[in-house]
């Protein structure tokens, strides 16, 4: 169970809706992932003209909560305007805030991100900021009014997996009460299990599922991996040791004379 802005969510997997082969494949992936939240880019879907409305209606029919995002925005005013439009379209105060600062890495512009987050929070939005694993930036986002953080583990779409486990581990330790959702860079179910074993609350996926040979099967695989990682964290895992430790007791063993 994870609580996001007062809403309790059972699934620890959030699913993106872009780049699927067809709406039917997307719908099946959503179903098999058992996700309760999908992200939708207002800019991407409205760029196709009338097709955007049909796509939005299909998403609404999936019976999941919609988290609109500001994907493709490169400045504060652009992101704020897109967020306001998304609120009108989807009738929700939730917004996944993206303000891209680098065209090659798609790394967020953290200065613009904090400014946009403050503006949106002041206007009643419940902001899910796509950010880096920098602790200072995270502090500023929380001060701006964010109650959820969404750090990357690698650049968007790279499928590289967690590149800096130490930074992710530090973020979890530094913000023990804040919901943390790993967003961007996950490529395999094992990557998702790894970050969940660190104690993160959820994972947001898109490319790794939509780009798979069988997106629906991959969505289910990720759901199982995320649950396994979460359960392992809750159970308490053994830490690595420098020396071997026998699994069979040596006390009381038979002695031959």
């Amino acid at each position: 169970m994870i609580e996001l802005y007062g809403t309790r969510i059972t699934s620890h997997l959030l699913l993106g809706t872009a780049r699927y082969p067809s709406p039917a494949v997307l719908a099946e992936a959503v179903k098999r992932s058992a996700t309760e939240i999908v992200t939708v880019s207002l800019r991407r879907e409205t760029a196709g003209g009338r097709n955007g409305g049909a796509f939005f209606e299909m998403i609404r029919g999936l019976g999941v909560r919609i988290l609109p995002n500001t994907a493709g925005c490169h400045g504060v005013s652009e992101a704020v305007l897109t967020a306001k439009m998304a609120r009108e379209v989807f009738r929700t105060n939730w917004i996944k805030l993206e303000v891209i600062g680098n065209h090659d890495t798609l790394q967020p512009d953290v200065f613009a991100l904090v400014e946009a987050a403050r503006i949106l929070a002041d206007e009643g939005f419940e902001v899910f900021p796509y950010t880096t694993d920098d602790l200072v930036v995270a502090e500023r986002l929380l001060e701006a009014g964010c109650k959820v953080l969404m750090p990357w583990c690698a650049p968007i779409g790279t499928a590289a997996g967690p590149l800096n486990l130490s930074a992710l581990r530090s973020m979890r330790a530094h913000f023990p009460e804040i919901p943390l959702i790993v967003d961007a860079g996950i490529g395999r179910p094992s990557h998702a299990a790894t970050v969940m074993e660190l104690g993160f609350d959820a994972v947001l996926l898109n490319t790794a599922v939509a780009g798979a040979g069988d997106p629906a099967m991959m969505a289910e695989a990720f759901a199982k991996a995320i649950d396994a990682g979460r359960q392992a964290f809750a159970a308490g895992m053994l830490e690595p040791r420098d020396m071997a430790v026998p699994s069979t007791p040596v006390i009381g063993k038979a002695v031959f004379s």
Side-chain angles (χ1 to χ4, degrees):
M1 184 76 69
I2 175 175
E3 186 168 318
L4 305 171
Y5 288 103
T7 298
R8 292 186 175 183
I9 304 296
T10 301
S11 173
H12 296 271
L13 167 59
L14 288 70
L15 201 60
T17 56
R19 300 183 180 275
Y20 285 82
S22 70
V25 172
L26 167 59
E28 183 63 18
V30 169
K31 178 181 177 181
R32 291 179 63 175
S33 72
T35 185
E36 298 171 55
I37 300 173
V38 298
T39 63
V40 179
S41 168
L42 185 70
R43 286 172 55 99
R44 181 182 294 117
E45 299 308 333
T46 54
R50 295 181 180 180
N51 291 333
F55 179 82
F56 294 153
E57 288 304 316
M58 186 274 290
I59 293 296
R60 289 189 182 97
L62 295 176
V64 293
R65 185 161 187 138
I66 297 174
L67 174 60
N69 70 52
T70 62
C73 292
H74 293 264
V76 174
S77 59
E78 184 182 19
V80 170
L81 177 59
T82 301
K84 291 180 178 180
M85 292 171 62
R87 179 158 64 179
E88 291 298 315
V89 171
F90 296 109
R91 299 290 188 268
T92 178
N93 287 325
W94 280 17
I95 191 71
K96 177 174 178 267
L97 181 61
E98 297 183 27
V99 186
I100 301 302
N102 185 282
H103 292 280
D104 294 326
T105 66
L106 300 180
Q107 181 170 333
D109 179 339
V110 295
F111 305 101
L113 180 68
V114 172
E115 183 179 349
R118 181 173 290 107
I119 292 171
L120 292 173
D122 287 344
E123 296 196 18
F125 282 88
E126 295 172 326
V127 182
F128 295 67
Y130 160 61
T131 183
T132 63
D133 52 22
D134 187 285
L135 296 181
V136 177
V137 174
E139 291 278 12
R140 297 295 180 269
L141 287 168
L142 295 176
E143 291 170 2
C146 298
K147 296 182 180 179
V148 176
L149 297 172
M150 302 183 74
W152 70 352
C153 74
I156 294 173
T158 61
L163 298 181
N164 193 339
L165 284 173
S166 294
L168 292 175
R169 189 177 287 108
S170 294
M171 178 167 275
R172 179 70 284 176
H174 198 70
F175 303 106
E177 305 301 325
I178 301 299
L180 299 179
I181 302 171
V182 171
D183 177 18
I186 295 288
R188 301 183 179 189
S190 57
H191 296 160
T194 295
V195 297
M196 294 302 290
E197 288 174 357
L198 295 178
F200 279 76
D201 297 285
V203 169
L204 193 157
L205 302 164
N206 193 161
T207 308
V209 173
D214 186 333
M217 183 182 293
M218 186 61 74
E220 184 176 350
F222 268 107
K224 292 177 179 178
I226 289 168
D227 285 345
R230 182 68 180 177
Q231 189 172 354
F233 172 77
M237 295 171 292
L238 287 176
E239 293 299 320
R241 297 163 172 168
D242 293 331
M243 297 180 62
V245 178
S247 57
T248 301
V250 296
I251 297 175
K253 66 179 181 179
V255 177
F256 299 93
S257 57

